[in-house]
Every structure is written in C-alpha cells, then in structure tokens.
Amino acid sequence: MGRGHPECPERLDAIHDHLLATGLNAILEQREAPLVDLAEVALAHSSNYVNELKDLLDQVAASGESRALDPDTIAGPGTWRAAQRAAGAAVAATDAVIDGDVDNAFCSVRPPGHHATRDETMGFCFFNNVAIAARHALDVRGLERVAIVDFDVHHGNGTEDIVAGDERILMVSFFQDPLYPYSGGVPKGANMVNLPIPPYTRSGEIRDMIEAQWMPRLEAFKPQMVFISAGFDAHREDELGQLSLVEADYEWITRRVKDVADRHARGRIVSCLEGGYALSALGRSVAAHLRVLADV
Ligand SMILES: [Zn+2]
C-alpha cells in the first residue's frame, strides 16, 4: 500500500512473531496459500470486475509503480498476486475444513476483503475473501446454509453488498457507527443482522448486544459452516476506531461463535484476517482467537 499506510506487510510479521514467541506455531499446522481460480472469484464478483481488475493490476505490476485506486486503496506491483493468494487461502481452507482434513482454519492473509463489493475495490480490499469462500461452500461444495460473522470495527459493506438477499447466508456483524465506510445502519436484506455501535461503547455492552441479537439468529439459522471476517481493529490500542475490546473479548466472541459451529456445523469454521493495525495488539488478539479455535 506504500510507506506509512496502516495496511502494511508488518501486520503478518507481527502475527507470525507472536505465534512463534508464544509457542502456538508449534501446535498449529501451517500451509501456504495457493493462487485462487478466477472462476471461484466470479462466485462473488462480476466477471467484468474480475477481468478489469486483472488488466489494471497486470499493468501496475508491469510498470513496477504503485497506483492509487482511491485515496485509501493503493495497488502495488505485488497486489494482483497477493489478492489471488488471499482469496486462494480462503477457498483452500474451506475445502480442507469441509473435507475433514482440518477442524477449522485461520487465514493470515492480506489484502483484507470485506469492503470489496461485487463491482468495486474499496478500503484496502480487492477480492472479498470471505464472500468468495462462503459462495464456494454453497455453490461448489453443496452446503445449504452458511453464516458469516464480521467483528471488524468497520462495517463489512462489501460482504453485505454481495450476500444481502441470499437467504442461504446469514451475516451477523457489529461495527462502530459513525465510522468508515458510513454504512450498515439500515441492513440491505432480511439475512443481515447489523449492530451499529457508538464510539467509546464499553465491551461489556457489546457482548450483551451480541448475546441478545446475534446468538438467537445464529441458533435459529443452524449454519452448516461458519465464516469469520476477523478484524481486530476494535481493539482498545487500535487507532482506526474508538472501541475498547481487548484479547479477552476476542476470546469470548470466538468462543460464542465456536459454540454455534460445534452445535450445528460439526465445528466447521474458516476465519480470515480483515483489519487490525496496532501491531502488538494484533498479534496478541489473533493468538487469543486461535487458542479458542485450536482448543489449547
Ligand atoms: Zn477494519
């Protein structure tokens, strides 16, 4: 994204370093992310979008120079390959979990995806990794119902744009409001559970809202698989938002989501990294998330 941009390569280093320092990496099975098949991407994005983005990012790669697609979203020479690998990780993780090869999976990837709409790049996002993986589970792997849980501090407008009205998907989220991208106050479909949260809301209140508004809908929906847009920028130390979650809150949210997956979905969860820009807090929060997913 360029020098000084919060969506930086050091984010993944911070996660990896913390997993090394805590010994968690020795417990987890790690796999490299494959490149996505563009036919999979077209399950969530229009073919025109995929073709035009490929042409544009190929030009950027050939020129060797970065180009701003909007004031927040900068494409560099490695962006096309990175976007293919991030989406490829989500699809490969979905296959591995459905095949019973692994119990669940976390995709430590960038660029993130949840602001990418069916037809537009936005907010550091190019391919909507979670929406692609969810559609893969439904359209390619034959599941009938999947849930998407988004706990990034920003509204997952791209995912909402893609899945609103698709009754095979239930999406539950919370997000700070007002905050970029200034949407989500009015859900775009009956399959969306949006919880706008005022700045400086205490984490206990957020837990109460999750309990009261996410959990009954998730229980009633009985998802066969759960996808998580795991953004950690609602953390107290993260300066992109004004919420005050800490590691214990991410542990609690993950536990509640895992309870649903264990009851209805044979524990099947694929979680994909979205935001999280305070590097130390990101490493610690991902570790808290993974300890619950891995039962350690
Ligand atoms: Zn975010």
Side-chain angles (χ1 to χ4, degrees), residues 8 25 30 39 59 75 81 124 131 152 154 171 179 187 198 205 221 224 251 259:
C8 60
N25 75 307
Q30 293 174 54
Q59 283 172 28
R81 194 174 165 78
F124 324 158
D152 190 277
H154 302 97
M171 179 174 178
L179 187 66
E205 288 178 55
F221 187 70
Q224 296 168 315
E251 182 186 334
D259 287 345

Side-chain angles (χ1 to χ4, degrees), residues 131 134-135 138 144-148 163 166-171 191-192 221:
R135 283 274 169 77
L138 296 164
E144 293 170 351
R145 294 178 311 283
V146 304
I148 296 174
V163 311
D166 184 342
E167 299 298 333
R168 304 170 300 169
I169 301 175
L170 174 69
M171 179 174 178
N191 62 326
M192 310 297 304
F221 187 70

Side-chain angles (χ1 to χ4, degrees), residues 64-274:
E65 308 239 335
S66 294
R67 191 182 307 180
L69 306 187
D70 67 48
D72 301 312
T73 313
I74 295 105
T79 297
W80 176 243
R81 194 174 165 78
Q84 285 185 89
R85 278 165 62 94
V91 171
T94 301
D95 282 335
V97 169
I98 292 176
D99 290 340
D101 195 10
V102 294
D103 295 331
N104 54 46
F106 174 70
C107 302
S108 189
V109 293
R110 36 184 303 276
H114 76 153
H115 295 306
T117 69
R118 185 174 154 74
D119 292 304
E120 273 181 300
T121 59
M122 198 175 148
F124 324 158
C125 300
F126 300 85
F127 287 156
N128 195 312
N129 307 317
V130 161
I132 292 165
R135 283 274 169 77
H136 174 77
L138 296 164
D139 294 344
V140 178
R141 299 305 305 261
L143 299 194
E144 293 170 351
R145 294 178 311 283
V146 304
I148 296 174
V149 174
D150 187 328
F151 57 70
D152 190 277
V153 79
H154 302 97
H155 175 232
N157 65 296
T159 315
E160 178 175 67
D161 177 67
I162 292 164
V163 311
D166 184 342
E167 299 298 333
R168 304 170 300 169
I169 301 175
L170 174 69
M171 179 174 178
V172 303
S173 71
F174 73 78
F175 47 89
Q176 183 181 316
D177 180 48
L179 187 66
Y180 181 88
Y182 304 98
S183 56
V186 180
K188 288 191 169 164
N191 62 326
M192 310 297 304
V193 179
N194 295 8
L195 303 184
I197 308 268
Y200 307 107
T201 301
R202 294 159 57 100
S203 67
E205 288 178 55
I206 296 174
R207 290 193 192 194
D208 290 346
M209 291 171 77
I210 288 172
E211 202 64 65
Q213 297 188 59
W214 284 10
M215 297 312 290
R217 288 292 297 274
L218 287 167
E219 288 293 339
F221 187 70
K222 298 182 171 52
Q224 296 168 315
M225 184 158 181
V226 180
F227 293 87
I228 303 179
S229 267
F232 297 92
D233 41 9
H235 195 282
R236 175 175 295 168
E237 293 170 28
D238 201 297
E239 292 178 356
L240 267 71
Q242 287 80 41
L243 294 183
S244 56
L245 301 197
V246 294
E247 293 88 306
D249 297 305
Y250 290 114
E251 182 186 334
W252 181 87
I253 295 170
T254 310
R255 169 68 54 203
R256 296 304 283 132
V257 173
K258 190 161 186 289
D259 287 345
V260 171
D262 285 344
R263 267 197 294 281
H264 301 294
R266 301 186 213 164
R268 295 190 282 216
I269 297 174
V270 168
S271 174
C272 293
L273 182 66
E274 300 283 0

